[in-house]
Amino acid sequence: MKHCISLFALFFVFQIGYGQQLTTDEKELYNLIMEYRKSKNLSSVPLSASLTIVAQTHCKDLAENRPDTGKCNSHSWSNKGKWTSCCYTSDHAQASCMWKKPKELTSYEHAGYEISCVGSDPLSPLKALETWQGSKGHNDVILNKDAWDSPWKAIGIGMYKGYATVWFGHFEE
């Protein structure tokens, strides 16, 4: 019995510490972003299990529930999950809805900042990165420029059915 409890405890710790797996495309996107940052003399950003949960959850919500319709963009969240829904518009009036998602969904106690990309299914990691590189605002987030000049200490990656999201945090997990 003691042996079974020890195995269960080990399994539980393993799942908590390492349970958030990246898909092949998510790993590729992470590597592409880190290579891009390195080419600009910026440091790598460590993967965060919590921010990856947020990124993967958001991609799935976007693909399955489509809260990004009408005036709502791809930073929006549906009312079909265990989170606060919101319609994120181009005026950024609902920015706090985004910033609070890591704390709302995970044990990450700090704000999170998202870049998102909508493409065809499948959306390739390279196409997602190229889309962000072509947008000054998104590129600035990746490269810590202008309003985003404070270094990133955590990153989460999600890709699902034509959506890609990357979540950044200023604090380590």
Side-chain angles (χ1 to χ4, degrees):
M1 180 68 175
K2 193 176 197 180
H3 183 67
C4 289
I5 292 171
S6 295
L7 284 175
F8 176 76
L10 180 62
F11 175 76
F12 184 75
V13 168
F14 179 78
Q15 287 300 312
I16 295 297
Y18 302 99
Q20 205 55 40
Q21 298 295 317
L22 295 180
T23 66
T24 302
D25 281 347
E26 290 167 343
K27 287 177 191 173
E28 183 180 343
L29 180 55
Y30 174 76
N31 289 332
L32 286 169
I33 291 170
M34 293 309 108
E35 288 169 15
Y36 180 50
R37 286 178 55 83
K38 184 178 180 182
S39 76
K40 303 296 183 183
N41 297 315
L42 295 169
S43 62
S44 290
V45 182
L47 272 169
S48 159
S50 293
L51 293 181
T52 296
I53 289 169
V54 178
Q56 291 173 338
T57 301
H58 196 205
C59 283
K60 192 169 185 181
D61 181 46
L62 288 164
E64 294 180 356
N65 301 314
R66 298 303 312 264
D68 59 331
T69 58
K71 65 179 181 168
C72 305
N73 67 30
S74 59
H75 298 302
S76 300
W77 288 75
S78 77
N79 62 358
K80 295 185 168 72
K82 295 181 179 185
W83 52 74
T84 304
S85 64
C86 66
C87 173
Y88 197 109
T89 53
S90 59
D91 64 2
H92 307 287
Q94 294 294 323
S96 65
C97 176
M98 177 205 310
W99 300 337
K100 294 177 182 178
K101 281 298 176 273
K103 189 173 185 177
E104 190 176 335
L105 296 173
T106 71
S107 61
Y108 191 80
E109 291 290 322
H110 310 285
Y113 307 94
E114 177 188 47
I115 58 174
S116 61
C117 181
V118 183
S120 60
D121 184 19
L123 172 65
S124 77
L126 181 59
K127 181 63 178 169
L129 179 59
E130 289 172 344
T131 299
W132 292 320
Q133 288 171 324
S135 162
K136 182 179 178 348
H138 294 95
N139 195 53
D140 285 353
V141 173
I142 295 169
L143 299 180
N144 296 114
K145 287 186 170 184
D146 295 335
W148 306 102
D149 64 353
S150 183
W152 300 123
K153 301 290 184 180
I155 189 172
I157 308 286
M159 293 189 77
Y160 186 75
K161 293 188 177 180
Y163 288 89
T165 65
V166 179
W167 283 75
F168 295 90
H170 291 299
F171 298 91
E172 294 178 12
E173 177 122 36

